[in-house]
Amino acid sequence: MGENFLFSEFGQKFRNQTGIGQLMEDLGNLKPGTSMLGGGSPALIPEVEEVWRMILSKFAESGSWDSILGKYETPTGKEETLEILASLLSSETGTAISKNQIAITNGSQNAFYLLLNFYSGNFLDGSFRKIFLPVLPEYIGYLDQPIHPDSFHGILGKVNVTGEDTFRYEMDTSSWKDLNENIGCVVLSRPTNPTGRVARKEELEQILSFAKERKIPFLLDNAYGFPFPGIIYSDEKLFHSEGMIQGFSFSKIGLPGVRTGFVLADPKIIETLNKANAVLNLAGGNLGQYIALEFVRSGEWLRLSRDIVKPFYSKKRELAISLIRSEWKGKLKYSIHESEGAFFLWVKFSGLSKKISEIYPLLKENGVIIVPGNYFYPGSTEDKDPGEDSVRISFAREDQEIQEGIRKIGKILSNYTE
Ligand SMILES: Cc1ncc(COP(=O)(O)O)c(C=O)c1O
């Protein structure tokens, strides 16, 4: 019966979407023994889990559970958490940041949904503005977020061959000054999901000056970056300047289930985000705000990021790269994007006789999940099949699972080499 109810345009948008929703479904329904190299979940690291256990038992001892479970926080967020996050960002960026520049959200996905819709779509001046993605490929999770269709304008990264089997996408600024699209904001993830690219400071400055010229915000997504989990292998730093809106997440350090993130922006933007938070959620979840306070106050954020999490992924990354080289050399023509951050490898193939999206069901059937590259190109107009030669491989898994998965990928793809 419910099948016949008419969905509004808004409802249809979610009903028809095939991006992240379908992928999250796939990740949840797997045959036993599947090598799960597809998801965005962080690894379960014992030293990290120990810290969560310690913080939670402290709540039990101090009686904080009553407040955590039994009352709504204000939509602005827990005062002490806002203060400690502001002071952390002040010291990490070297810029004075106050608590009215911070909003706490139920995950950074939630924050980006609001922000992308604040700065794209129909504007009161009658214009329709798009979201500018300066280096494609870019995060799949943005894809279906704008309420209006056709809300992205993306420019493909320019391939720069950096080694025998490595490359890096460089930001191609050549068309920026002639860009006719009406743009409402610029968005970049740093490290970039899916490529592991970490935009250099000069690149951030270039984007910022483009954004300032057009009087639009620059949204920078630090889900894998600074201040935590700090999964950045190059020596870049956290950077903040007026005109930037930055998203942060507690997920990739090890709390994806708690659904907590925060945003740094000018106070007026924060005020609007808090009002939207009240409409959508009444208030942010308490558990994440209490854990965040303890996590930052104790200094564990730095110890875990610097001494545990980054070295952990750094080892996995080396393992995954060396396995690709030993398993695929001579069988497949591939090139790996320079791995500068996060816990993915982006691999581009040449000479495949089928598209990656066509091979994906076979990979799944044969017990290995990756994310096909075609998902990561919102708003691309330059290439009609972008990403059909690429895959994103997560290395946030057990060593043996990574090894088996890479072997299976090699075996299946080599059936489709020309
Ligand atoms: C680049 C990027 N941004 C944002 C998110 C959203 O993270 P969360 O909502 O868990 O904070 C993710 C999750 O995978 C991501 O990869």
Side-chain angles (χ1 to χ4, degrees):
M1 158 87 181
E3 269 301 301
N4 300 325
F5 295 149
L6 211 55
F7 274 99
S8 71
E9 225 175 87
F10 183 73
Q12 282 293 354
K13 181 191 135 50
F14 293 102
R15 190 176 167 80
N16 296 339
Q17 73 95 16
T18 51
I20 197 143
Q22 182 57 50
L23 202 73
M24 295 295 274
E25 278 292 315
D26 264 12
L27 302 183
N29 297 317
L30 294 177
K31 285 194 290 201
T34 297
S35 308
M36 247 309 301
L37 311 186
S41 284
L44 299 173
I45 305 174
E47 291 90 335
V48 175
E49 293 183 306
E50 183 52 36
V51 170
W52 309 137
R53 262 195 297 276
M54 219 172 59
I55 293 178
L56 295 183
S57 63
K58 217 166 168 178
F59 292 160
E61 283 156 24
S62 65
S64 310
W65 279 122
D66 293 346
S67 311
I68 295 173
L69 302 179
K71 74 175 185 52
Y72 289 116
E73 201 37 81
T74 66
T76 316
K78 187 171 165 58
E79 196 83 354
E80 293 156 281
T81 308
L82 293 168
E83 273 164 12
I84 207 148
L85 291 174
S87 119
L88 170 67
L89 292 180
S90 298
S91 60
E92 290 302 296
T93 59
T95 314
I97 286 160
S98 59
K99 67 174 194 286
N100 62 355
Q101 287 173 268
I102 311 281
I104 298 174
T105 60
N106 290 334
S108 64
Q109 186 71 15
N110 182 301
F112 277 94
Y113 178 78
L114 293 170
L115 290 166
L116 295 183
N117 284 300
F118 285 178
Y119 298 110
S120 72
N122 294 320
F123 282 63
L124 294 177
D125 63 2
S127 62
F128 180 85
R129 300 193 193 186
K130 292 190 178 184
I131 299 152
F132 179 39
L133 303 172
V135 194
L136 292 178
E138 188 48 277
Y139 175 44
I140 183 176
Y142 304 142
L143 189 67
D144 290 304
Q145 289 203 318
I147 288 171
H148 295 280
D150 195 25
S151 283
F152 287 103
H153 181 78
I155 296 186
L156 297 178
K158 216 160 62 180
V159 173
N160 172 21
V161 175
T162 55
E164 202 183 312
D165 64 354
T166 52
F167 74 103
R168 184 178 196 269
Y169 287 122
E170 300 299 341
M171 190 163 78
D172 182 2
T173 58
S174 60
S175 61
W176 286 13
K177 63 176 174 0
D178 306 319
L179 208 64
N180 285 326
E181 295 286 354
N182 214 344
I183 304 290
C185 63
V186 192
V187 182
L188 182 82
S189 57
R190 181 185 192 245
T192 301
N193 174 1
T195 53
R197 179 183 194 278
V198 176
R200 300 183 193 105
K201 186 171 181 227
E202 306 84 79
E203 295 175 305
L204 300 184
E205 286 167 342
Q206 271 178 302
I207 298 175
L208 193 58
S209 87
F210 169 87
K212 279 188 173 159
E213 248 167 57
R214 295 195 171 220
K215 299 190 171 49
I216 57 174
F218 170 20
L219 276 59
L220 187 64
D221 182 347
N222 300 282
Y224 300 83
F226 298 118
F228 46 80
I231 314 173
I232 292 194
Y233 312 113
S234 63
D235 46 12
E236 293 293 333
K237 301 267 174 305
L238 183 61
F239 168 83
H240 187 66
S241 173
E242 206 186 320
M244 290 173 84
I245 303 177
Q246 304 215 45
F248 304 90
S249 173
F250 280 90
S251 296
K252 311 301 174 179
I253 187 88
L255 292 177
V258 176
R259 311 304 305 125
T260 301
F262 55 106
V263 173
L264 161 63
D266 295 341
K268 277 261 176 299
I269 300 170
I270 294 300
E271 214 180 290
T272 313
L273 264 180
N274 289 338
K275 286 179 180 167
N277 192 28
V279 173
L280 291 180
N281 307 303
L282 294 185
N286 285 350
L287 182 60
Q289 303 194 52
Y290 276 74
I291 295 179
L293 177 60
E294 227 12 77
F295 185 53
V296 178
R297 188 159 57 191
S298 62
E300 287 290 14
W301 74 271
L302 179 61
R303 184 183 73 85
L304 288 187
S305 304
R306 187 191 55 197
D307 302 340
I308 308 289
V309 172
K310 181 174 157 177
F312 175 89
Y313 287 116
S314 183
K315 250 169 91 182
K316 296 268 179 203
R317 157 188 177 252
E318 271 155 43
L319 173 75
I321 294 174
S322 75
L323 282 168
I324 286 180
R325 288 183 172 143
S326 60
E327 294 287 337
W328 297 357
K329 224 168 202 150
K331 280 196 212 144
L332 292 171
K333 286 188 211 134
Y334 68 88
S335 189
I336 309 168
H337 192 283
E338 288 292 341
S339 167
E340 297 166 343
F343 44 68
F344 308 111
L345 292 180
W346 175 261
V347 187
K348 202 170 153 54
F349 299 94
S350 54
L352 290 183
S353 60
K354 267 186 182 230
K355 294 179 186 177
I356 282 294
S357 59
E358 291 167 342
I359 305 176
Y360 174 73
L362 293 163
L363 290 167
K364 189 173 158 192
E365 217 175 280
N366 283 278
V368 57
I369 295 283
I370 46 86
V371 186
N374 57 303
Y375 281 108
F376 299 93
Y377 289 83
S380 158
T381 51
E382 298 157 85
D383 181 344
K384 68 175 172 27
D385 266 339
E388 283 289 6
D389 57 354
S390 306
V391 295
R392 188 193 77 179
I393 297 173
S394 163
F395 50 80
R397 307 296 294 179
E398 296 290 339
D399 291 359
Q400 199 188 340
E401 192 177 352
I402 299 174
Q403 176 163 25
E404 281 168 12
I406 287 176
R407 189 168 293 159
K408 286 176 203 161
I409 298 169
K411 195 163 154 227
I412 291 153
L413 290 194
S414 56
N415 294 331
Y416 299 98
T417 50
E418 281 164 345

